[in-house]
Structures are given as C-alpha cells and as structure tokens.
Amino acid sequence: MAVRTVLRMGDARLLQPARPVERFGTPELHALVADMEDTMRALDGAGLAAPQIGVALQVVIFGVEHNPRYPDAETVPYTVLVNPALTPLGNEVEEGWEGCLSVPGMRGLVPRLQRVQYEGYDQHGRRIERTVSGFHARVVQHECDHLAGILYPMRIRDLRNFGYTEVLFPGQEELQE
Ligand code: NI
C-alpha cells in the first residue's frame, strides 16, 4: 500500500474527534489499515491513529516487538483496534515518557492509568477485549487520545518535563508514540 504523511501538531485535523467505523471488512477499511501499518513501520513507531494521517475514523494500530527506539520497552502485541472503548481499572496513575509521530523529536512525561480494560473490534469486525497494564496500557491510552483530538503534550502536568529528545536523553534513540 503506501506510506502516508503524518500530520504534525498544529494541524487542526489532529484536534478533531474521530467518527466510529460503521462497516467492517470493507476494501476501504483494509486499505486504511494497510497504509497505517506501512506508515508506522516506516517510521519505526509504536502506534498510529487514523487521524494522524488525516482520516477522522476511530481506527488505531499499535505494537512493539524489539523496537530499536524502545530498547527497554515491554513488548506489546501488534493490534488493530477499531471503535475502541477504554475502562479504567483502579485509579493508580503512573508517569512515563512518551513521544508521538505527530510531535517529532520531542518527549514529555505523561500521567496514565496503570491498568485499563479495552474493547473494540479488528478490521474484520472480530471483537477484542483485553485487560492490560504498564506500557501496553500507556500505548493504548495514547492512541485512543488521538481519537478524541488529544495530543500527549496536553496531558503533561509540569511542562518542565517536556523537551527535545536529544537534549533530555543524549545518545538515545528517539522514542515515538
Ligand atoms: Ni501519538
């Protein structure tokens, strides 16, 4: 398929809520997911939401398997998640560093729920329901935020913990999504 241009922070399309997908298993939905996967892999990202390529639909993909940009990260299974819903489990919140393909070259310290349940569908309409914690929970919260028009810098509690990756973490690979 195709590697698409990722919109960057400042583009109003990143701030708009996404619409639910109404029909599963269509050529259009498969093409969208294929483009998102090509784009995420080309940029070595851990996740991507459809609004980041200018498509205002509730589709996210994510997954981390031995990503050189995340040398210490837990692995997260590759997942296509359509029309997701998140349910908090408990109220424990953890701060962790995040990056985003729409905010290239930067990282911020973002509070996220430590444990969540998520549900939704894959692109074929098969139901997905998982209870996750830690990094997996962080990634899915970051991606679902994109569907509500929220970018991670909007979640940073103390903007002193927001800066350029190469300054904050000299010598480390850039972390995104
Ligand atoms: Ni992002």
Coordinates of all heavy atoms in Angstrom, one line a residue, residues 52 100 142 146 177, ligand 1:
Q52 N -4.0 10.8 12.5 CA -2.6 11.2 12.2 C -2.3 11.2 10.8 O -1.3 11.9 10.3 CB -1.6 10.4 13.0 CG -1.7 10.6 14.5 CD -0.6 9.8 15.2 OE1 -0.9 8.6 15.5 NE2 0.5 10.4 15.5
C100 N 5.6 11.0 20.1 CA 4.5 10.9 19.2 C 5.0 11.2 17.8 O 5.7 12.2 17.6 CB 3.3 11.8 19.6 SG 1.9 11.8 18.5
H142 N -2.6 6.4 24.9 CA -2.1 7.4 23.9 C -2.8 7.4 22.6 O -3.2 8.5 22.1 CB -0.6 7.2 23.7 CG 0.1 8.1 22.8 ND1 1.1 9.0 23.1 CD2 -0.1 8.3 21.4 CE1 1.5 9.7 22.1 NE2 0.8 9.3 21.0
H146 N -5.8 10.1 20.6 CA -5.8 10.7 19.3 C -7.2 10.8 18.7 O -7.5 11.7 18.0 CB -4.9 9.9 18.3 CG -3.4 10.3 18.4 ND1 -2.9 11.5 18.1 CD2 -2.3 9.6 18.8 CE1 -1.6 11.5 18.3 NE2 -1.2 10.4 18.7
E177 N 5.4 7.7 19.8 CA 4.1 7.1 20.1 C 4.2 6.3 21.3 O 4.1 5.0 21.3 CB 3.7 6.2 18.9 CG 3.3 7.0 17.7 CD 2.1 7.8 17.8 OE1 1.2 7.4 18.6 OE2 1.9 8.8 17.1
Ligands
NI1 NI 0.8 9.9 19.1

